[in-house]
Amino acid sequence: DAKTTQPNSMESNEEEPVHLPCNHSTISGTDYIHWYRQLPSQGPEYVIHGLTSNVNNRMASLAIAEDRKSSTLILHRATLRDAAVYYCILTNSGGSNYKLTFGKGTLLTVNP
Amino acid sequence: DTAVSQTPKYLVTQMGNDKSIKCEQNLGHDTMYWYKQDSKKFLKIMFSYNNKELIINETVPNRFSPKSPDKAHLNLHINSLELGDSAVYFCAAGRTGKGTQYFGPGTRLLVL
């Protein structure tokens, strides 16, 4: 599986934007970039995913570098509820032999 | 309605016992997974089932046996529980070949 690198931790203030980076220099052409997050004492939660173009949904935006070797998850206005571990995961669609390989992720702290 | 549910939420048991964790999904997805999150918070896949057929089995001791009575259920049976089995177990559901998975709330297993 292609590997991703994320900072161990980041800090933000409430109602400010947060940019969570992810490096994936060995990404292949068919790998999707997925982001999940895990709130304290909960299961992982899907946030967003993309292939080449930037993506927006109600939770966040995903900015993908032109060479696809890095991406950034953007939370436009952080709330206390966004405090979680954020995982950047590369996935390759096709077939049923499919799994999510979680790294250490980035622990996001949101200050009131 | 909860998309992916697990029972029990907490399980405390003695070494050597046999226990089961149940998982049900109402999403209509054809692939279900079990993940284990250890005390260091690493999340790792254990099994995946597609249409009641075992697809992924990640070097898990054969004391662990998944059972899928139908597409909506994937139960995890553990024989001869050991101290090292203490962890949080997450069930997930997704569509074949897609990286978006929906996780249950987790079962916190403590082996004494």
Side-chain angles (χ1 to χ4, degrees):
Chain A
D1 293 329
K3 197 174 167 172
T4 63
T5 305
Q6 299 177 251
N8 287 336
S9 62
M10 289 186 67
E11 208 167 315
S12 171
N13 295 320
E14 206 175 3
E15 298 192 7
E16 289 184 358
V18 182
H19 290 233
L20 295 160
C22 181
N23 287 322
H24 29 78
S25 57
T26 59
I27 190 170
S28 74
T30 52
D31 283 339
Y32 283 79
I33 302 158
H34 269 80
W35 283 81
Y36 281 78
R37 71 179 185 181
Q38 187 173 21
L39 278 64
S41 301
Q42 294 191 28
E45 175 186 29
Y46 166 78
V47 178
I48 200 167
H49 77 280
L51 183 62
T52 55
S53 304
N54 294 345
V55 184
N56 299 300
N57 68 19
R58 63 173 181 80
M59 287 181 73
S61 295
L62 176 60
I64 302 173
E66 205 167 317
D67 64 3
R68 302 210 325 126
K69 292 181 189 274
S70 66
S71 61
T72 303
L73 179 71
I74 303 165
L75 307 179
H76 295 285
R77 286 179 73 232
T79 68
L80 296 178
R81 202 196 167 278
D82 292 322
V85 178
Y86 286 79
Y87 299 97
C88 169
I89 301 171
L90 300 184
T91 64
N92 203 311
S93 67
S96 55
N97 185 7
Y98 200 88
K99 61 185 179 182
L100 295 177
T101 301
F102 287 83
K104 295 181 184 177
T106 297
L107 175 62
L108 175 66
T109 302
V110 180
N111 301 315
Chain B
D1 271 350
T2 305
V4 181
S5 59
Q6 295 179 227
T7 53
K9 190 170 180 180
Y10 298 96
L11 185 53
V12 181
T13 188
Q14 299 287 331
M15 248 182 4
N17 283 350
D18 302 338
K19 290 292 178 186
S20 290
I21 306 172
K22 295 186 177 180
C23 177
E24 178 179 1
Q25 57 111 352
N26 63 9
L27 298 167
H29 290 340
D30 56 2
T31 305
M32 295 183 72
Y33 307 82
W34 277 108
Y35 289 82
K36 177 181 179 181
Q37 187 166 39
D38 61 24
S39 57
K40 293 182 180 175
K41 303 296 185 184
F42 288 117
L43 254 168
K44 197 169 178 187
I45 187 153
M46 300 172 69
F47 302 101
S48 82
Y49 259 76
N50 177 264
N51 285 324
K52 297 169 60 179
E53 182 184 347
L54 181 64
I55 301 298
I56 296 174
N57 184 344
E58 291 276 314
T59 57
V60 176
N62 57 16
R63 297 182 296 104
F64 290 78
S65 53
K67 288 183 175 26
S68 181
D70 55 57
K71 283 170 56 174
H73 296 85
L74 181 62
N75 303 324
L76 184 64
H77 189 77
I78 315 170
N79 288 330
S80 303
L81 277 155
E82 300 178 357
L83 295 176
D85 297 332
S86 295
V88 184
Y89 292 84
F90 291 102
C91 176
R95 289 199 180 95
T96 300
K98 300 294 183 186
T100 304
Q101 295 179 16
Y102 298 90
F103 286 76
T107 295
R108 286 142 189 84
L109 172 65
L110 178 60
V111 182
L112 302 174

